[in-house]
Amino acid sequence: MIATAPASLPDSLAARLSDEQRQAVAESSREKRLATLAAALKLAEPEALTALAAAAGLDIASNLEPDLAARGLLPARLVHDYQVIPIRFGVPAGEPDAPAALSTQPLHLATAWPPDDVMADWLRTFTPRPPVWHLAVPERVHQLIIENFGVGSGSLEDGDDSYVAPETASQTEEVVDEDAAVVRFVTDVISQAVEDQATDIHWEPQEGQLRIRYRVDGLLVPVPVPQNLLRFQDAIISRLKIMARLNISEKRLPQDGRINFKANGTTLDIRVSTIPTIYAESISLRLLNQKKEAYTMDRIGMSTDEQAQITQILDYPHGIVLVTGPTGSGKSTSLNAFLRKINSTDLRIITIEDPIEYEVPGVNQMQVRPEIGLSFADALRHVLRQDPDVIMVGEIRDKDTAEIAIRASLTGHLVFSTLHTNDAPGAITRLIDMGIEPFLVASAIELVIAQRLVRRLCPQCARPAPVSKIKLIESLAILGCNAAEAELITELNSPVGCDRCRGTGYRGRIGIFEIFRLNDEMHELVLKHESTRTLAETARRNGMRTLGQSGWEKVKAGYTTLDEVLRVITVTEK
């Protein structure tokens, strides 16, 4: 039986939808309903929000500020379930909040979806103040709730369970005990990390608090948590260890494990690491979304010229292509993009990874397991007996792996791998330092790509701003670019901050690249054991664009900022 449209979906919009579309809107969570409605109406989300507001007779609130005085009027559970939050409205910035809890003045509420009768009834249960409703961008409403109530605060809320949202009543008919609350809280924290596109979650016991931080776009971000979180600390740590099938009674030694996590249609392979600290065990989770949309060379930020240089080598039948950079610089993502570029039915491609970050259809992917003796070197020896055309080795960590990879490339295989060096020419000297003969390095290495990831400016709010000539000249000198360009530049795009980017001014990341290819002159330098600096100077003389120059091109194109490029280059090259 087809469900009817939710009561809060205005008739004028409901009439434009099919039964199936109305059902999809009704079954979506409140923070996702606008996206579902936009897809059904074939509109962009901002346009769908405008149409919804007009049909519901509500205005759209932007630049939301929470009403701190009214924050305590509503239980966290209701706020989370209905995606609604009290906001300051019509109060000049800087003025203090009125003592709203004791007054009968209107209560301004920002919501991700128009209120229905049940929602209004619940609101009257907790406050006599007459509500004034405003629609707002769902992502911003959700973010404000997280900032002001904490991630998972609805799960750990103290007090009785007199409030049970109708949408979740079937799950909460029985008395909810502390264990169930902790299970829900951990799920909420991981789900929010997925929503924020975090790569890691760190649970860090401190004096008097359990701190939780996400790594988002390469930076650590503190996560707002419920005030009563410390009370549940031991139960939360035990829950994480149980999920990872670790020994919960062993608290003195580090442990490693894995969690297979499924929620909201997302499947995660989570790597878990625990270490003992002076307060309790600190736990780190690395989130690997195996169904994540794969990146193409375009999407990771490579220019047409950079793609042409790389694609030429990808067509070679043998040789080694190395991607270098620090941890978290997107090396595995780039290798995956290269594999997808050449993947075809007439090539046998085998990968050796730790961990497997992306599933590639048609490619044979192997997970190394050092605990049972299956290292990169051992796996590579066996792979060579599997008649491969292309081999991808997740990382060259030692001389053994390097020698086998070079031998494989010299015997007719195309080999991809990664290495930890600051720049592309440094990969050559790193291999020689490992004990590989220079003539083997010079013969096998076809291409080395150094890369970094910089935060991408939010396309919704980035605006041109005047630049300081002095600062620009100094920055270009640091990046190794032509300072004379500063005379031609009067303004550059800068971050502003909006509801879409949660006020940061940035959304996502983009790569900057340094592509190093050996020619005859550099081949001779390698044989003479010349330094990385000499190799780099020769490469630049032969047209190699450095990381700094690549970053400056992204700045001029409006993708990122000088501060971002300087941050990733100067920090990693110290």
Side-chain angles (χ1 to χ4, degrees):
M1 180 175 176
I2 300 298
T4 57
S8 55
L9 180 60
D11 292 340
S12 59
L13 288 181
R16 296 167 60 181
L17 306 180
S18 67
D19 288 343
E20 290 78 8
Q21 289 171 330
R22 288 198 294 272
Q23 182 182 24
V25 171
E27 292 176 350
S28 298
S29 62
R30 284 185 176 267
E31 60 265 39
K32 299 295 183 186
R33 277 185 191 165
L34 180 66
T36 307
L37 177 66
L41 294 174
K42 297 181 179 179
L43 296 174
E45 282 191 38
E47 296 170 349
L49 182 64
T50 301
L52 180 62
L58 300 177
D59 71 313
I60 298 174
S62 58
N63 300 320
L64 305 183
E65 285 188 50
D67 184 347
L68 302 181
R71 186 171 55 184
L73 295 177
L74 306 179
R77 188 95 168 268
L78 181 144
V79 168
H80 277 275
D81 287 341
Y82 282 114
Q83 290 295 293
V84 58
I85 189 167
I87 60 169
R88 290 161 55 95
F89 192 82
V91 180
E95 287 194 13
D97 294 296
L102 301 178
S103 70
T104 57
Q105 62 181 304
L107 177 63
H108 291 275
L109 297 161
T111 179
W113 190 259
D116 54 28
D117 293 339
V118 177
M119 183 174 173
D121 287 344
W122 272 116
L123 193 72
R124 283 191 289 270
T125 302
F126 295 102
T127 176
R129 294 177 61 186
V132 178
W133 300 97
H134 308 270
L135 274 185
V137 175
E139 293 93 335
R140 182 56 180 156
V141 172
H142 183 67
Q143 187 64 19
L144 271 183
I145 292 171
I146 297 300
E147 290 173 359
N148 287 274
F149 290 85
V151 173
S153 52
S155 302
L156 300 182
E157 192 164 41
D158 287 323
D160 63 24
D161 285 315
S162 58
Y163 165 70
V164 178
E167 296 175 9
T168 57
S170 61
Q171 302 170 11
T172 53
E173 289 175 352
E174 301 177 1
V175 177
V176 180
D177 60 13
E178 182 175 301
D179 288 343
V182 168
V183 169
R184 253 196 339 263
F185 174 76
V186 170
T187 299
D188 287 346
V189 171
I190 298 175
S191 298
Q192 183 61 43
V194 174
E195 191 75 20
D196 290 348
Q197 298 183 343
T199 56
D200 302 83
I201 308 174
H202 300 291
W203 311 71
E204 302 167 314
Q206 307 285 306
E207 183 178 8
Q209 66 167 322
L210 174 60
R211 181 170 68 175
I212 302 175
R213 293 192 289 176
Y214 295 155
R215 188 172 293 279
V216 180
D217 290 341
L219 300 178
L220 279 175
V221 179
V223 177
V225 296
Q227 293 181 352
N228 62 344
L229 182 62
L230 188 63
R231 170 185 146 199
F232 298 92
Q233 174 176 292
D234 292 343
I236 289 169
I237 292 173
S238 294
R239 170 60 184 166
L240 288 166
K241 292 175 73 174
I242 289 169
M243 291 172 72
R245 298 179 181 174
L246 302 178
N247 182 353
I248 61 171
S249 62
E250 178 54 78
K251 301 179 181 180
R252 302 164 302 170
L253 295 173
Q255 298 185 65
D256 295 315
R258 297 172 67 174
I259 296 172
N260 188 266
F261 179 84
K262 294 182 180 179
N264 302 324
T266 299
T267 301
L268 292 179
D269 177 20
I270 302 177
R271 302 303 165 94
V272 183
S273 173
T274 76
I275 58 169
T277 70
I278 57 175
Y279 296 109
E281 289 171 283
S282 178
I283 302 181
S284 291
L285 309 184
R286 167 61 59 90
L287 311 183
L288 303 170
N289 185 353
Q290 298 196 345
K291 302 298 182 185
K292 183 168 56 176
E293 182 184 354
Y295 283 74
T296 61
M297 293 168 72
D298 267 326
R299 195 173 165 203
I300 60 179
M302 286 187 172
S303 67
T304 304
D305 178 55
E306 289 166 340
Q307 290 186 48
Q309 291 182 61
I310 294 169
T311 302
Q312 182 182 4
I313 304 300
L314 296 184
D315 290 333
Y316 280 22
H318 54 78
I320 294 182
V321 175
L322 292 176
V323 182
T324 77
T327 300
S329 59
K331 299 186 297 295
S332 298
T333 303
S334 291
L335 288 182
N336 182 268
F338 300 161
L339 288 180
R340 289 177 180 269
K341 179 74 173 176
I342 65 172
N343 191 12
S344 65
T345 54
D346 58 349
L347 284 180
R348 178 163 168 77
I349 303 174
I350 303 179
T351 71
I352 307 165
E353 303 175 65
D354 183 27
I356 296 173
E357 296 191 32
Y358 300 88
E359 291 182 10
V360 185
V363 171
N364 303 278
Q365 296 176 265
M366 179 192 300
Q367 168 76 50
V368 301
R369 300 193 183 278
E371 68 275 10
I372 58 172
L374 185 61
S375 64
F376 277 114
D378 292 320
L380 189 49
R381 287 190 187 94
H382 291 287
V383 163
L384 288 173
R385 302 178 193 135
Q386 289 279 317
D387 185 32
D389 296 298
V390 180
I391 305 169
M392 195 266 271
V393 184
E395 184 182 345
I396 293 179
R397 294 178 179 171
D398 51 47
K399 179 183 178 182
D400 205 9
T401 308
E403 283 183 336
I404 302 169
I406 286 176
R407 195 182 313 135
S409 72
L410 295 175
T411 54
H413 303 90
L414 184 59
V415 179
F416 297 145
S417 193
T418 70
L419 207 58
H420 287 284
T421 62
N422 280 337
D423 57 10
I428 303 297
T429 49
R430 175 63 58 86
L431 289 172
I432 294 173
D433 289 344
M434 281 183 179
I436 307 300
E437 290 293 336
F439 76 91
L440 290 175
V441 174
S443 301
I445 303 298
E446 292 292 345
L447 198 68
V448 184
I449 305 159
Q451 71 176 65
R452 301 289 187 275
L453 293 176
V454 294
R455 289 186 295 168
R456 186 193 291 260
L457 281 167
C458 172
Q460 301 289 331
C461 66
R463 295 290 183 272
V467 296
S468 162
K469 293 290 184 185
I470 295 175
K471 182 182 177 182
L472 183 56
I473 290 170
E474 291 174 349
S475 299
L476 291 177
I478 295 172
L479 296 178
C481 300
N482 183 2
E485 286 192 66
E487 297 302 322
L488 306 174
I489 304 292
T490 57
E491 59 182 23
L492 293 170
N493 276 5
S494 63
V496 176
C498 66
D499 290 345
R500 296 286 170 181
C501 62
R502 295 166 182 166
T504 65
Y506 297 93
R507 286 179 69 189
R509 288 187 289 178
I510 190 171
I512 58 176
F513 306 92
E514 178 177 282
I515 300 176
F516 173 79
R517 185 174 180 185
L518 276 78
N519 59 17
D520 291 340
E521 182 182 359
M522 286 181 275
H523 191 284
E524 293 301 319
L525 294 177
V526 173
L527 295 181
K528 292 177 183 177
H529 292 249
E530 290 288 354
S531 66
T532 299
R533 173 171 294 185
T534 302
L535 287 173
E537 289 172 352
T538 305
R540 286 196 294 271
R541 203 167 55 245
N542 282 273
M544 182 186 79
R545 186 164 62 184
T546 65
L547 283 167
Q549 291 165 340
S550 175
W552 174 232
E553 292 299 320
K554 295 290 191 297
V555 172
K556 288 191 292 185
Y559 292 120
T560 189
T561 64
L562 266 175
D563 288 341
E564 266 299 289
V565 176
L566 289 168
R567 177 181 68 83
V568 300
I569 290 180
T570 56
V571 167
T572 53
E573 292 187 352
K574 282 181 180 178

